[in-house]
Amino acid sequence: MRPDQIKLEFIIALNLIPAAASVALRRGAALAAALLLVSCASEPPRSLVTPFPPVTKQPLPPASQPVQPQVRQPMRGVWLATVSRLDWPPVASVNGASPAERIRMQQQSLIDKLDKLKSLGINTVFFQVKPDATALWSSKILPWSDMLTGRIGEDPGYDPLQFMLDEAHKRGMKVHAWFNPYRVSVNIKPSTASELNRTLSLHPASVFVLHRDWIRTAGDRYVLDPGIPEARDWITSIVAEVVAHYPIDGVQFDDYFYAESAGSLLNDSQTFSRYGQGFASKADWRRHNTQQLIEQVSRTIKQLKPEVEFGVSPAGVWRNLSHDPAGSDTRGAAAYDEAYADTRRWVQQGLLDYIAPQLYWPFSRQAARYDVLAKWWAEVVKPTRTRLYIGLALYKVGEPSRIEPDWTLQGGVPELRKQLDLNESWPHIDGTILFRENYLNQPQTQQAVSYLKSRWGG
C-alpha cells in the first residue's frame, strides 16, 4: 500500500468511525478502513463525521512564494445518467448478451461516447455512479447496480467508474462522480421490494434490508429519510469511499433531497417528533437536515482530498421574490421551499466549490426567464469563491412545446446560442453543463449538436 493511500485510509477511519480511532492507531490505517466498511453492513455508527469547523480553502503559500494564478478552462460539461439506463449502459448489453459480450458492449459504448464528447469540445463528464442505493464502482457499502447486469449485487466483471476514469483522463477530460443521495429505488412495485429483499444474503446487502427503519416512500419511490442522522452519516461514508479510492475530479449531488410529489408525500412525522425539537416548523427542521448533509460531506471530502471539487446541481430557483426579498424575479418551484435545500446559503458559507443550477427555460419564459436566473445566480456567487456552472436543457431542444416554442425554431439553435452567449460573456458564470448525454444522439437535436461542435469543438 502506498504511503498516500495509508494516509487516506487513516483519515477515513478518524472521520467516519470515532470509536475505532484508537484501534486504527494501534493496528494501522488499513485495518481501520476495514472496520469502517464492516460497520456499514451491521449497525449504524454513532457518528461518521468528527465535529470540525466549517471547511475552508487550503492556506495560501508563505509570502516568500508567489501565488501562481490558476488557469481554468471554462466548464463545458455533460451529465451522463445511468438511472433506468437513460444514457448508459446500452439496454441491449443487458438483455440476453453473454457476460463477455455485455462487458464489450458496455465498454465500447463508453469509449464511443467519450470520443464524441471530446470532438464536441466537452471537457467534463458528470457520471452517475449512484443512481439509487446501488453502485457503479466496487463498493463494500453498496451492492452492484442492476443497471449493469439486470440483477442487484451481481458483479459486472469490471469496474465501470475506474473504466470511465481511465478512458476520460486519457482524453484529457475530467470526471465528477454524480450521486443521488437519498433514492433507494425508482418505484415501489412489489417486484422491486422483492428484488431488494433478495439482497439479504449478499455482502454488502441493500440498505433496504439492513436498515429498514430508515426507509420511507416519497414521489412513488423508496427513499431514505433525511431526518435520520445515521442515514446522513451512511451517505457520507459512501462518498468518502469513492473519494478515497478513485482519482475522481469532483463529487456532485443532484437536486433530490426531499423529493416528494402531491400524491406521495414523505411521512417523516415520527422522525420529526424524535429529532425536531427546537425548530419553529417542520420546514425549518428539514432544511437543517439537508444543511447537515452538505456540511459533513463537504468537510469529509476536503479532509480526504482537498483537490476534489464538491458541487450541487439544484433546481434553478432558490426562492421567488414574492416570498423573499433576496429571491429571483421568478414564479417557479423553489428549492428552498420544495426540496428544503437552502442552496444560496451553501454558496455563501463556502461549502461548495461550484453550484450548477438547472436553468431549463428559454429567455421568453416569463415565469422563469433564463437570463434573469443566470444573472441572479451570478450575483450570488460574485462575493464568494464558489464557481457557477449553468445547467442547460438540451433535452428540450427540438421538442415541440406550446409554452416554450423557442426550442424548435431553427432547430433550437438561436435559443442555444443566446444562452451560451450569456454564459460565456457574463461575469462570474464559469461554464455550462448539458442535460443530458443521450440527447446529443437524437434526431431532433442534430442542428444544435452541429452548432455546439462549431462553437466548442474547434
Side-chain angles (χ1 to χ4, degrees), residues 94-147:
V94 180
N95 293 341
S98 68
E101 179 65 6
R102 173 180 51 75
I103 292 170
R104 187 199 67 76
M105 291 175 67
Q106 292 180 1
Q107 293 184 345
Q108 189 60 51
S109 174
L110 271 186
I111 288 170
D112 292 344
K113 288 178 183 295
L114 289 171
D115 283 343
K116 179 169 184 173
L117 294 175
K118 179 73 173 175
S119 74
L120 294 176
I122 301 291
N123 57 31
T124 308
V125 179
F126 295 82
F127 183 46
Q128 192 174 34
V129 298
K130 183 185 177 292
D132 43 37
T134 62
L136 276 84
W137 72 94
S138 182
S139 176
K140 294 187 170 56
I141 305 172
L142 300 176
W144 281 109
S145 176
D146 54 323
M147 295 300 100

Side-chain angles (χ1 to χ4, degrees), residues 110-279:
L110 271 186
I111 288 170
D112 292 344
K113 288 178 183 295
L114 289 171
D115 283 343
K116 179 169 184 173
L117 294 175
K118 179 73 173 175
S119 74
L120 294 176
I122 301 291
N123 57 31
T124 308
V125 179
F126 295 82
F127 183 46
Q128 192 174 34
V129 298
K130 183 185 177 292
D132 43 37
T134 62
L136 276 84
W137 72 94
S138 182
S139 176
K140 294 187 170 56
I141 305 172
L142 300 176
W144 281 109
S145 176
D146 54 323
M147 295 300 100
L148 300 165
T149 63
R151 189 176 181 86
I152 296 175
E154 184 173 335
D155 190 329
Y158 73 109
D159 187 320
L161 174 56
Q162 188 61 58
F163 186 82
M164 167 63 92
L165 287 164
D166 291 343
E167 293 296 325
H169 288 167
K170 251 194 284 190
R171 291 163 175 77
M173 301 166 72
K174 294 183 176 181
V175 177
H176 287 226
W178 163 18
F179 296 78
N180 183 293
Y182 290 114
R183 184 193 292 146
V184 174
S185 69
V186 296
N187 60 59
I188 53 174
K189 295 177 181 176
S191 58
T192 298
S194 296
E195 187 176 8
L196 291 166
N197 283 327
R198 281 196 295 270
T199 69
L200 184 58
S201 61
L202 301 180
H203 300 285
S206 172
V207 66
F208 185 84
V209 292
L210 292 178
H211 298 293
R212 195 65 181 85
D213 55 319
W214 298 355
I215 307 298
R216 306 286 183 267
T217 59
D220 294 314
R221 299 177 173 96
Y222 290 120
V223 299
L224 296 177
D225 186 337
I228 298 174
E230 292 84 1
R232 299 194 299 266
D233 294 344
W234 181 79
I235 293 166
T236 304
S237 72
I238 291 166
V239 175
E241 182 183 53
V242 173
V243 172
H245 294 291
Y246 291 86
I248 58 172
D249 301 289
V251 165
Q252 185 181 103
F253 280 177
D254 55 32
D255 55 327
Y256 285 88
F257 296 106
Y258 280 86
E260 302 175 296
S261 63
S264 182
L265 299 175
L266 178 77
N267 183 0
D268 57 353
S269 298
Q270 288 187 349
T271 315
F272 180 52
S273 297
R274 181 174 180 184
Y275 296 107
Q277 300 86 352
F279 290 91

Side-chain angles (χ1 to χ4, degrees), residues 318-340:
W318 168 69
R319 293 201 91 189
N320 294 295
L321 187 61
S322 58
H323 286 78
D324 193 308
S328 53
D329 187 10
T330 51
R331 298 183 299 281
Y336 183 96
D337 300 292
E338 311 234 356
Y340 303 94

Side-chain angles (χ1 to χ4, degrees), residues 303-326:
Q303 289 164 6
L304 286 169
K305 289 183 183 175
E307 72 277 11
V308 171
E309 299 181 358
F310 178 45
V312 174
S313 175
V317 176
W318 168 69
R319 293 201 91 189
N320 294 295
L321 187 61
S322 58
H323 286 78
D324 193 308

Side-chain angles (χ1 to χ4, degrees), residues 23-141:
V23 177
L25 290 171
R26 291 196 306 271
R27 300 187 184 180
L31 179 56
L35 289 174
L36 158 68
L37 299 172
V38 169
S39 73
C40 292
S42 53
E43 59 184 22
R46 290 195 304 276
S47 172
L48 295 179
V49 181
T50 35
F52 284 92
V55 64
T56 57
K57 299 294 180 182
Q58 291 299 292
L60 294 173
S64 59
Q65 300 178 20
V67 177
Q68 297 297 321
Q70 190 173 17
V71 179
R72 289 186 177 275
Q73 281 186 301
M75 166 62 68
R76 294 171 177 171
V78 67
W79 280 290
L80 198 157
T82 58
V83 64
S84 302
R85 305 187 187 97
L86 291 176
D87 297 327
W88 184 88
V91 174
S93 70
V94 180
N95 293 341
S98 68
E101 179 65 6
R102 173 180 51 75
I103 292 170
R104 187 199 67 76
M105 291 175 67
Q106 292 180 1
Q107 293 184 345
Q108 189 60 51
S109 174
L110 271 186
I111 288 170
D112 292 344
K113 288 178 183 295
L114 289 171
D115 283 343
K116 179 169 184 173
L117 294 175
K118 179 73 173 175
S119 74
L120 294 176
I122 301 291
N123 57 31
T124 308
V125 179
F126 295 82
F127 183 46
Q128 192 174 34
V129 298
K130 183 185 177 292
D132 43 37
T134 62
L136 276 84
W137 72 94
S138 182
S139 176
K140 294 187 170 56
I141 305 172

